[in-house]
Amino acid sequence: MNALNGGLRAEWIPDSGFHLRQAGVQFDAVRVDGDDGRRLADLMEKLVGGEPGPVVIESNGRRGVYFLVPPGSTVGRPWPRAVTTFNAATGRISYVPVPALGGHTWPLAWRYPPTRAGRFVHTLILFNAAYALLS
């Protein structure tokens, strides 16, 4: 499956709806639920002076906010308790919901859609921002 976004081709983005993608392959993810996740997304936007990289939000349930970071970058870091990591650490398989770039994707949406191949949320900035906000 390929998706186009102003010339962006990313095979992990579905053409329609949403799909679960295995973490640790094209990306790892960091999830923070509810208002804390939305505040963290706002803080990341402020810290980087614009869009921080691909961020997915849920409209129901835990109202999770998923920050997509480079593969392997969440492993071995002591994240705050409010953070759930999705990666391919030894003996672990995690899946992350990824919406299409357009169309009906409820309950998921892009808070910040991907802008170019290989561009993800900067893990170290996210790690420090999460500690500043959630500790």
Side-chain angles (χ1 to χ4, degrees):
M1 290 180 219
N2 292 322
L4 294 174
N5 181 20
L8 171 69
R9 296 187 66 78
E11 297 204 9
W12 50 271
I13 302 172
D15 291 330
S16 62
F18 62 88
H19 292 261
L20 294 177
R21 299 293 186 222
Q22 186 174 346
V25 179
Q26 288 96 356
F27 56 82
D28 281 4
V30 169
R31 186 186 77 209
V32 179
D33 294 333
D35 292 337
D36 284 344
R38 282 144 178 79
R39 281 192 291 274
L40 182 55
D42 291 341
L43 178 57
M44 286 297 295
E45 180 181 25
K46 182 178 178 181
L47 289 172
V48 302
E51 66 86 19
V55 177
V56 174
I57 58 172
E58 289 179 316
S59 298
N60 67 349
R62 295 179 178 166
R63 297 180 53 240
V65 179
Y66 295 83
F67 299 84
L68 306 186
V69 297
S73 65
T74 62
V75 178
R77 294 183 191 272
W79 292 89
R81 293 174 83 167
V83 168
T84 303
T85 59
F86 297 82
N87 54 51
T90 303
R92 181 177 176 183
I93 298 175
S94 302
Y95 292 91
V96 178
V98 176
L101 293 170
H104 300 290
T105 63
W106 190 89
L108 301 172
W110 289 102
R111 171 91 179 242
Y112 302 102
T115 56
R116 65 182 185 270
R119 166 82 163 90
F120 293 103
V121 174
H122 192 284
T123 309
L124 187 55
I125 296 173
L126 179 62
F127 180 78
N128 289 323
Y131 260 101
L133 188 67
L134 304 172
S135 295

